[in-house]
Amino acid sequence: MHFTALFFAFCLSCATPSIRPQSAGETSARTVDVRDLCVRYAADRDTLSRFHDLPATAARSTAFEGLHAETERALAALDFDALNVEARVDAVCLRMRVASDRRKLAFEVSRVHECASLLPFGDAVVALHAALRAQSASDPEKAAGVLDRLKHDVDAARTAAEKRSEPIAQVVARRAAKRVEALRDTEAAWFRFRADYDPTFTWWTKKPHEEVAKAFDEYARVLREKLGGDDKATRDAGTIFGDPIGREALLPDLEFALIPYSPEELIQIADREMQWCTERMLEASRALGTGDEWKLALERVKSDHVAPGEQPALVRALAQEAIAFLKERDLVTVPSIVENGWRMSMLSADEQRVSPFFLGGEEVQVAFPTDSMSYDEKRMSMRGNNKHFAHATVFHELVPGHGLQQYYESRWNTHRALFSTPFWTEGWALYWEMLLWDLDFHSTQEDRIGALFWRMHRCARIRFSLSFHLGLMTPAQCVDYLVDTVGHERKNAEAEVRRSFEGGYGPLYQCAYMIGGLQIRALHRDLVASGKMSNRVFHDTILEGNNIPIEMVRARLLGQKIAREFKATWRFYSL
């Protein structure tokens, strides 16, 4: 029998069962509460993601399109004019979330289609996934035949790719490698479902399964290393890989975040803010007696670090200093559980290859040298996490930054986790760097230089991350830019760029720090500096509203009559 006929005979009873969300009409006849609609969408979205866990399949696309259409119908049926401000925020954000999810699904499919010619066996594995989800029984001998043929097809695809006359773009080869690994894991999950529990199935399929797994691994290695350029030698040389998404893919992400600026305009904002930082850095350098050679002043600051083993004590002291400063000035509510319930851990040497500085939240993760690091690595870690850099980092990660954020995110308007945007997450913490600068939290020139280093770093993140995704900078050029323009230690710059492009962050994440901070700063100027609202009420209200696009934060604070088809219009920064 021809393999195709054999395969579809094997899968005839393996169709994926239909799975769709309940419509609003099926749940009850009452008026749908917008918050409940958000909760249901998030739960259905998570269920479908787990059920259709192999990306870019027709079944996955069909299931999600059903969820998107059902939710849009429920939103259209709302009596929008009768909703209060908070419910309108939820309704508009849910509409934008659905639209964004639909675009991301289409982008996911297009990326897999770009490398489809390298994966001619993909449909066979998709059918195995359908069989797994249908929990269907199959003839063990036929199943072994399917795996044996799949192994030959994977080997043939590898040979064809190695001999291919048309060049394969390295980034496409690396995408194909990731897809091969996803298909490998899908086949393995299908096999594990019956292996050992079904002795006949195991007797027939164990050896073919092991062989097809090896074939997948070898093909993925060829795609990644030989065709994609991502081999051990290049990794050892410090090469960083990324996958730029292009300008057209950036625009929908900006639309969801309600940022009414183009990528090019955001780079202009970054350059203007960088100029401000450089001018302040020159002022601090002159005050320290190093004139206009501000990098000499920066070198002095980097050399002022604690001895090995003393970093945790420094972090605790800096955390307490920041909290005392907030409370003395009544800037924001700091619940006692936040003040006293945070934890500390130390980043390993491997973790610091990707995260060379602090990470934060309820648990602050501290970067400082470990005994397994080389001499140069230890020096760079100590210099990059000196006393004065830490003075502007600890409060960013703990209180009033991410630690305080996470407290509120888990207790107020929790359904809005669905609308999370890094412009709110990172923008909030960066905004506090700006506000505490304005309030003279940094009393010494060394601390001011430490704070300015980070602010310059946030400006640089906008330029290098957007330029990379626009195809204007390579990862190596991004590293050079951080070293030359901001004054980073080279290893730290490499880790920063690696984290940006290989760490699983969205393409706008690094841009979001400064841009989100500037948004909240503009709101503070309009509402607090003008005398319309106190600092404490302003900050508490933002936190209680939870994580939503910041123009929507503005609408909440101003009590705007939000339109059903709300779009970004707030030009918060004058170019």
Side-chain angles (χ1 to χ4, degrees):
M1 182 183 291
H2 187 273
F3 173 65
T4 302
L6 172 66
F7 184 77
F8 282 105
F10 163 71
C11 293
L12 187 62
S13 64
C14 299
T16 305
S18 174
I19 176 172
R20 66 179 183 84
Q22 283 189 311
S23 69
E26 290 175 318
T27 54
S28 75
R30 67 178 175 80
T31 301
V32 177
D33 180 86
V34 185
R35 183 186 299 236
D36 289 345
L37 188 58
C38 295
V39 170
R40 285 202 299 275
Y41 178 79
D44 287 348
R45 182 174 176 249
D46 289 347
T47 295
L48 291 181
S49 294
R50 291 189 293 268
F51 190 86
H52 298 283
D53 55 347
L54 179 62
T57 65
R60 177 178 167 92
S61 295
T62 299
F64 271 103
E65 182 51 42
L67 172 61
H68 298 155
E70 197 71 65
T71 305
E72 287 171 339
R73 285 193 290 272
L75 285 169
L78 291 174
D79 183 359
F80 197 84
D81 291 339
L83 300 179
N84 62 24
V85 170
E86 296 295 336
R88 287 182 178 223
V89 167
D90 291 336
V92 170
C93 285
L94 181 57
R95 172 181 60 79
M96 295 192 305
R97 176 77 276 166
V98 171
S100 178
D101 286 351
R102 181 179 278 121
R103 288 191 296 261
K104 288 182 183 300
L105 189 67
F107 184 73
E108 169 189 284
V109 170
S110 70
R111 280 296 172 98
V112 171
H113 283 176
E114 285 180 16
C115 54
S117 64
L118 297 168
L119 308 166
F121 50 82
D123 287 346
V125 183
V126 170
L128 293 179
H129 186 271
L132 173 65
R133 287 294 175 254
Q135 304 167 23
S136 60
S138 57
D139 182 283
E141 182 176 358
K142 289 181 179 179
V146 167
L147 294 182
D148 183 67
R149 184 62 198 175
L150 179 59
K151 186 261 184 190
H152 288 296
D153 286 350
V154 174
D155 286 341
R158 187 194 74 236
T159 300
E162 290 178 303
K163 295 180 177 180
R164 183 169 171 151
S165 57
E166 297 179 5
I168 302 172
Q170 287 189 331
V171 68
V172 173
R174 293 194 296 270
R175 282 182 209 148
K178 290 182 179 180
R179 183 64 174 179
V180 169
E181 290 165 347
L183 295 172
R184 175 202 62 199
D185 294 344
T186 296
E187 184 278 332
W190 169 84
F191 171 77
R192 287 194 303 270
F193 180 68
R194 292 182 65 187
D196 299 334
Y197 292 100
D198 185 334
T200 304
F201 176 87
T202 307
W203 190 89
W204 275 107
T205 62
K206 183 176 182 179
K207 185 64 174 179
H209 159 69
E210 291 172 349
E211 290 176 345
V212 78
K214 290 179 181 177
F216 277 130
D217 286 340
E218 178 60 18
Y219 189 26
R221 185 192 66 79
V222 167
L223 287 168
R224 176 171 285 106
E225 297 180 9
K226 295 183 66 174
L227 303 178
D230 187 1
D231 55 19
K232 185 177 186 301
T234 56
R235 283 286 176 180
D236 289 345
T239 301
I240 299 167
F241 295 94
D243 194 350
I245 68 170
R247 187 178 192 278
E248 292 307 308
L250 286 171
L251 298 179
D253 286 349
L254 288 171
E255 182 180 343
F256 173 72
L258 295 175
I259 304 294
Y261 294 89
S262 69
E264 293 80 7
E265 287 176 317
L266 295 178
I267 291 174
Q268 288 181 45
I269 293 173
D271 290 346
R272 184 173 295 184
E273 289 296 310
M274 181 69 84
Q275 181 181 352
W276 182 92
C277 292
T278 303
E279 291 170 357
R280 304 292 83 73
M281 187 70 86
L282 287 169
E283 292 172 0
S285 177
R286 291 166 190 154
L288 286 177
T290 48
D292 289 347
E293 299 294 328
W294 63 265
K295 286 189 178 180
L296 292 178
L298 187 62
E299 283 299 304
R300 182 188 300 182
V301 165
K302 287 181 178 181
S303 299
D304 190 12
H305 51 73
V306 298
E310 296 180 6
Q311 191 78 340
L314 173 67
V315 171
R316 177 162 292 280
L318 292 178
Q320 293 169 343
E321 177 190 1
I323 291 171
F325 189 90
L326 300 172
K327 293 170 73 173
E328 287 169 5
R329 289 156 182 79
D330 198 29
L331 295 176
V332 64
T333 299
V334 182
S336 60
I337 194 170
V338 176
E339 181 176 355
N340 301 305
W342 62 273
R343 307 181 310 283
M344 189 188 314
S345 63
M346 305 300 290
L347 291 165
S348 69
D350 285 342
E351 289 169 332
Q352 289 183 62
R353 289 190 71 248
V354 179
S355 301
F357 310 114
F358 293 75
L359 297 174
E362 183 179 298
E363 177 182 355
V364 62
Q365 301 174 65
V366 180
F368 214 59
T370 69
D371 61 357
S372 63
M373 290 180 174
S374 69
Y375 175 79
D376 286 342
E377 289 172 335
K378 288 174 179 174
R379 293 295 305 157
M380 287 190 180
S381 181
M382 294 174 83
R383 286 161 55 79
N385 293 281
N386 61 74
K387 295 177 184 177
H388 310 290
F389 284 12
H391 195 260
T393 304
V394 171
F395 71 77
H396 175 115
E397 303 297 351
L398 283 173
V399 181
H402 298 317
L404 187 61
Q405 273 183 313
Q406 289 180 9
Y407 171 86
Y408 278 91
E409 283 180 299
S410 61
R411 291 164 174 81
W412 273 265
N413 286 301
T414 56
H415 65 290
R416 287 180 177 162
L418 181 63
F419 313 134
S420 173
T421 163
F423 293 87
W424 191 91
T425 302
E426 299 296 354
W428 169 265
L430 193 280
Y431 155 78
W432 279 98
E433 292 185 32
M434 296 176 171
L435 183 60
L436 294 192
W437 171 278
D438 294 340
L439 296 176
D440 294 325
F441 176 70
H442 308 290
S443 58
T444 70
Q445 296 300 335
E446 290 85 356
D447 282 347
R448 289 169 66 84
I449 287 174
L452 287 167
F453 170 84
W454 287 117
R455 200 146 160 183
M456 294 172 76
H457 174 65
R458 316 305 186 187
C459 299
R461 273 180 164 173
I462 298 174
R463 172 166 277 284
F464 85 69
S465 64
L466 291 183
S467 294
F468 170 77
H469 285 292
L470 292 171
L472 302 176
M473 291 178 75
T474 66
Q477 289 171 327
C478 295
V479 172
D480 290 341
Y481 180 71
L482 285 175
V483 172
D484 298 338
T485 307
V486 183
H488 269 286
E489 301 293 307
R490 182 161 292 276
K491 287 293 184 183
N492 290 344
E494 289 174 355
E496 176 65 22
V497 173
R498 186 175 292 109
R499 176 184 180 225
S500 298
F501 302 148
E502 297 181 1
Y505 292 93
L508 292 180
Y509 198 92
Q510 307 304 353
C511 166
Y513 288 75
M514 176 63 72
I515 299 304
L518 290 170
Q519 285 184 293
I520 301 176
R521 185 178 178 84
L523 277 178
H524 184 272
R525 181 183 61 243
D526 293 344
L527 294 174
V528 179
S530 66
K532 297 176 182 177
M533 191 176 286
S534 71
N535 269 307
R536 184 168 185 157
V537 170
F538 175 77
H539 295 129
D540 289 358
T541 304
I542 292 175
L543 288 169
E544 290 168 4
N546 213 310
N547 194 334
I548 55 178
I550 297 174
E551 185 165 348
M552 201 59 73
V553 172
R554 178 174 181 261
R556 287 184 66 248
L557 290 173
L558 296 178
Q560 288 181 347
K561 193 72 171 177
I562 301 167
R564 184 189 288 267
E565 299 301 321
F566 186 92
K567 292 184 181 298
T569 58
W570 179 39
R571 301 281 289 189
F572 53 87
Y573 194 97
S574 299
L575 287 168

